[in-house]
Amino acid sequence: MLKSNKSILVLVACICFAIAVVTHGGWVTLDTKIDWTDLGLFFGFLSFIF
């Protein structure tokens, strides 16, 4: 499954969206300045290009 760059980028995008859901839901608090939704969109866009 993880033999191409596209599948790895999709996996990373899904992980970023999962972190965004967990942090916005209030279940976990992180002291990072990263917007996980934007990061997930970025990796999703990269997987679309490649």
Side-chain angles (χ1 to χ4, degrees):
M1 176 183 164
L2 298 176
K3 301 220 187 248
S4 69
N5 288 340
K6 185 174 184 173
S7 61
I8 292 171
L9 289 172
V10 169
L11 179 67
V12 171
C14 290
I15 290 170
C16 290
F17 282 127
I19 292 171
V21 167
V22 169
T23 56
H24 287 293
W27 296 299
V28 176
T29 57
L30 299 174
D31 283 338
T32 60
K33 302 280 187 216
I34 299 172
D35 189 4
W36 292 101
T37 306
D38 290 342
L39 194 63
L41 287 172
F42 174 72
F43 284 116
F45 181 70
L46 281 180
S47 69
F48 178 73
I49 289 175
F50 292 115

